[in-house]
Amino acid sequence: MEKENIVSIWVGSFENEEKFHYYIKEIYDEEGDSSSKFMEDFNIDL
């Protein structure tokens, strides 16, 4: 979702950088659509 003059800030804590990257990594399905654990948790639909 995009709104003019609005900024969203997410804060998180991870044990290490590898776990952070795993959380935000986009995975593509056979149709080319992407998602990540981060996108699922915050209901972000591109």
Side-chain angles (χ1 to χ4, degrees):
M1 172 179 5
E2 202 171 303
K3 292 185 179 181
E4 203 169 309
N5 299 318
I6 299 293
V7 175
S8 296
I9 298 173
W10 289 280
V11 177
S13 178
F14 297 87
E15 292 179 25
N16 56 47
E17 192 172 339
E18 182 180 326
K19 289 187 179 193
F20 166 70
H21 287 288
Y22 176 79
Y23 182 68
I24 64 169
K25 181 177 179 168
E26 290 184 59
I27 299 171
Y28 293 86
D29 64 16
E30 296 170 358
E31 297 170 1
D33 296 326
S34 67
S35 70
S36 68
K37 182 68 176 138
F38 172 81
M39 293 167 66
E40 291 173 12
D41 287 349
F42 289 96
N43 199 27
I44 297 172
D45 185 26
L46 299 177

